[in-house]
Amino acid sequence: VVYDDGGEEEQRGKRNAKFVEKTTYENLPECFEPGFNVTLSSSNSISAHRRTIPLTQYMHEITTANDGAGETYPNQLSNETWYLFGETFADEWKQMLLDYEMPPCETCPDRDLSALAFGVGNRGSGVQWHTHGPGFSEAIHGRKHWVLYPPDRKPTYDSDYASRYWMEYQYMNIREEDELPWECTLRPGDMVYFPDGWHHATINLDTYTVFVSTFTTEHI
């Protein structure tokens, strides 16, 4: 299910207008103390590796990656491709996320029943195929592409590479229409609901892409 923020381009994103403003490239570092460190994850399915660096360093690295392209290339190894997502549960992140307006679900108004994860990536970055419980993901800045398969259709992929490799090399070789994944592209203000146990992978489409995922407990 995709929730479209609707309206003309200039009207999009008004639901979370305050949060959109505080998470621009210029404003995001101001949400934290100088020198605030972030924990990055590798871009393979199980996010097996970690790296800790200052937030400002990470933002500079992703927007100037590959000689200024601000891009993650498809042939980059997933365990050497670093990504800010999933390690944003510290008190500083919880305080920053208080301005985020929660998705439209029964348990979402009670933040103790949901887990929020904040993410930032560059063009071509993303997480390889994986599964987990249900929730929502909303694009805040930039566009984000999703590909999904139901629980009984596990995709074939090379775990040594990130999701862009699958999109550009394996996806393009799918010949049968019924073998294609479900897919959508989120623009700022759009939100997707991902069901429990569905296989999915993501790829960010812009140099500065920001998103928030809300993991819910409605299936329990």
Side-chain angles (χ1 to χ4, degrees), residues 155-166:
T156 300
Y157 60 90
D158 189 333
S159 61
D160 288 335
Y161 295 95
S163 55
R164 185 174 180 179
Y165 181 92
W166 188 91

Side-chain angles (χ1 to χ4, degrees), residues 10-177:
E10 62 271 14
Q11 298 296 318
R12 301 180 66 81
K14 288 202 170 183
R15 173 178 150 274
N16 259 309
K18 181 178 181 180
F19 191 76
V20 168
E21 178 62 23
K22 76 183 294 183
T23 55
T24 63
Y25 183 85
E26 295 76 18
N27 291 341
L28 180 59
E30 301 302 316
C31 297
F32 307 97
E33 293 293 326
F36 178 71
N37 283 333
V38 295
T39 301
L40 311 178
S41 304
S42 56
S43 296
N44 46 10
S45 297
I46 57 174
S47 301
H49 305 282
R50 299 289 188 272
R51 176 188 177 208
T52 301
I53 61 173
L55 172 63
T56 51
Q57 179 182 337
Y58 173 69
M59 294 175 67
H60 176 74
E61 285 184 3
I62 62 171
T63 53
T64 61
N66 288 311
D67 297 322
E71 186 170 353
T72 298
Y73 291 149
N75 58 351
Q76 291 182 218
L77 295 176
S78 59
N79 64 353
E80 298 174 357
T81 304
W82 300 104
Y83 195 39
L84 175 56
F85 178 64
E87 297 287 339
T88 55
F89 304 116
D91 290 342
E92 294 90 342
W93 287 109
K94 291 179 180 178
Q95 183 64 34
M96 190 275 283
L97 287 163
L98 287 176
D99 285 326
Y100 176 71
E101 183 176 329
M102 299 288 281
C105 78
E106 290 186 6
T107 61
C108 289
D110 186 345
R111 290 181 179 241
D112 291 334
L113 297 178
S114 300
L116 291 178
F118 182 83
V120 180
N122 64 4
R123 174 179 165 83
S125 63
V127 178
Q128 186 58 280
W129 287 99
H130 62 287
T131 63
H132 46 60
F136 298 83
S137 188
E138 179 173 359
I140 306 298
H141 298 281
R143 296 162 299 149
K144 189 177 189 70
H145 193 74
W146 280 70
V147 285
L148 309 96
Y149 282 112
D152 60 348
R153 294 183 59 195
K154 183 178 180 180
T156 300
Y157 60 90
D158 189 333
S159 61
D160 288 335
Y161 295 95
S163 55
R164 185 174 180 179
Y165 181 92
W166 188 91
M167 287 296 299
E168 296 196 13
Y169 294 103
Q170 293 180 253
Y171 174 89
M172 301 305 293
N173 289 324
I174 297 176
R175 302 301 180 195
E176 301 297 327
E177 185 174 354

